[in-house]
Amino acid sequence: MSNSTSSMSLVFSKSMEDVQSDTTTKILALIQLSYGIPSLVLMIVFLVLLTVSKKYSNSFYRLVQFDLLVNILIYTNSWFAVRIDKHPVVIPFLKWLTEVFPSFLTWVVYLAYMFLHLQFVSAVVLSVHRITSVYLHMNNDKYWNLIFIFFCLGSILYSCICNSLIPGHIVEVSILNGTLTKTTYVGVYTVAVSVTAYFSAAYFFLLVSVGISTSWIVTRKIESMSLTNGGIGKKLNKIAVTYGSIYTGILLWSIISALNANFNFLPDLIVKFNSYSLPFSSDMMTLALPYILMVYDTNVKQDVFRKKSVSASNSRIISSSFVITRQ
C-alpha cells in the first residue's frame, strides 16, 4: 500500500528549455510532416466536400464528417501534446503560448487520452451504420439523421466519463521563475497508461467483432438480393482487415507501455524507440480514413479522380461507404 502511495505522489519537474537538438528527432519530424500535412489537408478537403456536395446527403457521410473532424482535432492536438516540445526552435513559441494560455499545454496532454475514446467510437459507428442499413432499409437515413446530434454529444460525454478514470493531470506545463517547466506526475501517468491499455484492448476486439459481423451480415443480405456473386463480400472483408490492422499498432503500443510502466522490463533502447514509434502508430489511425475512402468509396473516387459515374443497375452498392442503399 505504501509503495502505491509513494508511486502516486512521485513528481518530476524539468525545464523544457533545456531540450537539445537531436538529428534523429529532426528526421522523424520531417518524415511525419511529409505525410502528415498532405493528409491533414486531404481530411479538411474531404470534410468540406462532404458538407457542401448534395451527393453526400446519406446519413453515413454525416458520420464520416464526424470521424474526419475528430481525426483533424486529434492530429493537431498530437503535435502540441507529444511532438513539438522536442525541438528547441519551437520552445520560445511554446513559452509565449503558455504565457497567453497558461493551461493550454497541460490540457492537450490530458485531451490526448480523451480523444482515444472518441476516435474509437467514431470508427466503430461506421460499421454499425452498415448493419442498420441492412435492417432498416429506407428508414435508415431518417433514424440516423434524427439521432446524429445526440450521438455526437453522447460520444463526447462518454469520452469525458472514460477519461475521468485518470485521477488528474498527467503533466502540468507552467512558467516557474521565468522558465518553461514540465511537471510529470508519475503515478497518474501509470494509471493513465494502464486504463488506456484496457480500453484499447476492448475497443480493438469490439472493432474486429463488429467488422466481421458486418461483413457477414451485409454479404448475406447482398447475396439474398442477387446483387453480386460474392466479390463485394471480399471487399467488405478487406475493409474489416484494414481497420483491424490499423488499430493493431496503437493497441500493441498501449499494452506494452502499460506493462512496462508497471514492471519496467523493457531495455532503455526499446523504451526510447517506443517513444519514437508512438506518433507513427497514432498516425496510422488518425490519417487513414481519407485514403480508405479513396480506395473503397465510389462517390469519393469519382470526385477525386474525376471519373464518370457508371450505373449498372437500379440498385447501387456503395461499398466503400459501408452502406447498402436501395434506389
Side-chain angles (χ1 to χ4, degrees):
M1 185 70 177
S2 59
N3 289 337
S4 176
T5 304
S6 175
S7 174
M8 287 298 294
S9 61
L10 193 59
V11 177
F12 288 115
S13 294
K14 68 174 183 178
S15 170
M16 296 176 65
E17 299 181 23
D18 293 336
V19 63
Q20 300 295 317
S21 180
D22 181 87
T23 302
T24 302
T25 302
K26 288 181 179 179
I27 293 173
L28 292 176
L30 289 175
I31 294 173
Q32 291 163 20
L33 287 172
S34 68
Y35 66 77
I37 292 179
S39 300
L40 179 63
V41 171
L42 200 59
M43 285 195 292
I44 295 172
V45 169
F46 278 18
L47 181 61
V48 173
L49 177 64
L50 268 57
T51 302
V52 301
S53 176
K54 293 182 180 179
K55 181 189 297 185
Y56 304 100
S57 59
N58 190 289
S59 59
F60 169 79
Y61 292 115
R62 302 286 75 76
L63 299 175
V64 172
Q65 284 177 295
F66 179 70
D67 194 75
L68 285 170
L69 180 59
V70 167
N71 286 326
I72 289 170
L73 293 174
I74 289 172
Y75 184 70
T76 304
N77 185 82
S78 71
W79 277 96
F80 290 99
V82 297
R83 308 196 199 206
I84 61 175
D85 61 343
K86 297 179 176 65
H87 304 278
V89 69
V90 187
I91 296 302
F93 166 72
L94 295 180
K95 187 173 183 179
W96 169 84
L97 192 61
T98 304
E99 291 173 344
V100 178
F101 304 104
S103 299
F104 179 79
L105 294 178
T106 298
W107 275 99
V108 293
V109 175
Y110 186 77
L111 290 175
Y113 289 84
M114 188 202 77
F115 278 135
L116 173 81
H117 307 289
L118 195 57
Q119 187 175 39
F120 276 99
V121 171
S122 66
V124 75
V125 76
L126 299 179
S127 290
V128 173
H129 186 281
R130 287 165 57 195
I131 295 177
T132 59
S133 69
V134 170
Y135 293 105
L136 298 179
H137 301 295
M138 294 299 296
N139 290 323
N140 194 50
D141 269 358
K142 175 184 175 182
Y143 291 136
W144 277 102
N145 287 330
L146 283 174
I147 69 170
F148 178 69
I149 297 299
F150 298 102
F151 162 74
C152 295
L153 295 176
S155 299
I156 296 171
L157 178 61
Y158 166 78
S159 301
C160 291
I161 292 173
C162 291
N163 217 41
S164 67
L165 296 174
I166 300 175
H169 285 294
I170 299 148
V171 303
E172 287 188 2
V173 178
S174 58
I175 297 177
L176 298 178
N177 301 319
T179 302
L180 186 64
T181 305
K182 176 186 288 186
T183 301
T184 302
Y185 299 93
V186 178
V188 178
Y189 170 76
T190 302
V191 172
V193 172
S194 298
V195 168
T196 299
Y198 294 136
F199 273 108
S200 294
Y203 291 150
F204 173 78
F205 291 113
L206 178 62
L207 281 166
V208 171
S209 300
V210 171
I212 294 174
S213 300
T214 302
S215 178
W216 181 74
I217 291 171
V218 175
T219 302
R220 282 193 61 188
K221 186 65 175 179
I222 293 172
E223 291 175 347
S224 68
M225 295 164 60
S226 299
L227 293 175
T228 184
N229 60 3
I232 187 65
K234 293 180 180 179
K235 185 167 289 188
L236 290 171
N237 284 327
K238 287 180 180 178
I239 293 171
V241 171
T242 300
Y243 263 84
S245 299
I246 289 172
Y247 293 120
T248 296
I250 195 68
L251 168 69
L252 292 176
W253 174 85
S254 299
I255 293 175
I256 292 173
S257 295
L259 291 173
N260 188 65
N262 286 282
F263 302 105
N264 196 28
F265 61 90
L266 291 176
D268 291 340
L269 181 62
I270 300 297
V271 173
K272 187 175 182 179
F273 174 79
N274 193 35
S275 66
Y276 286 141
S277 67
L278 168 60
F280 291 101
S281 60
S282 176
D283 290 345
M284 286 173 63
M285 290 193 299
T286 307
L287 305 176
L289 184 57
Y291 302 101
I292 293 175
L293 288 174
M294 285 193 294
V295 171
Y296 294 112
D297 194 294
T298 306
N299 289 331
V300 171
K301 194 180 297 184
Q302 289 170 359
D303 281 336
V304 172
F305 300 105
R306 299 298 179 186
K307 290 183 177 180
K308 293 182 178 180
S309 177
V310 178
S311 179
S313 66
N314 61 354
S315 294
R316 185 176 64 184
I317 303 169
I318 309 176
S319 60
S320 66
S321 301
F322 321 108
V323 181
I324 298 178
T325 60
R326 294 285 291 175
Q327 294 182 337

